[in-house]
Amino acid sequence: GTLDFHTAGSLKMRITSTGNVGIGQYSSLNHRLTVNGPTLLQDVLTVARLSSAPANPQKGMIYYDTILDQFRLFEKTSWRQL
């Protein structure tokens, strides 16, 4: 099942039975956190630090390559330095 949070009669957030959370989006919650709408982070965002690129990349993925000592972005069909 799911746990839904409503305010003023409108769905605002959903937690699925697998623990995935959706804010502003309530279907196809395939990631741990899905946010649809402007988002403000007022603290540090830590990006994955890996020694090789993630398997099965998707456009827009970012990670920090600990071997190359640089941020990498998956754009179109390949990884590139940020």
Side-chain angles (χ1 to χ4, degrees), residues 6-54:
H6 298 261
T7 60
S10 177
L11 179 61
K12 301 298 182 185
M13 183 172 81
R14 171 172 285 160
I15 303 174
T16 68
S17 60
T18 60
N20 293 348
V21 176
I23 301 172
Q25 179 173 328
Y26 314 110
S27 61
S28 302
L29 299 178
N30 300 320
H31 302 284
R32 187 60 60 206
L33 176 63
T34 301
V35 178
N36 183 8
T39 305
L40 172 65
L41 297 173
Q42 292 187 327
D43 207 334
V44 174
L45 172 65
T46 301
V47 176
R49 293 174 289 199
L50 307 170
S51 60
S52 63

Side-chain angles (χ1 to χ4, degrees), residues 31 53-59 61 74 79:
H31 302 284
N56 305 313
Q58 297 175 8
K59 292 177 184 176
M61 281 186 159
F74 192 78
W79 290 100

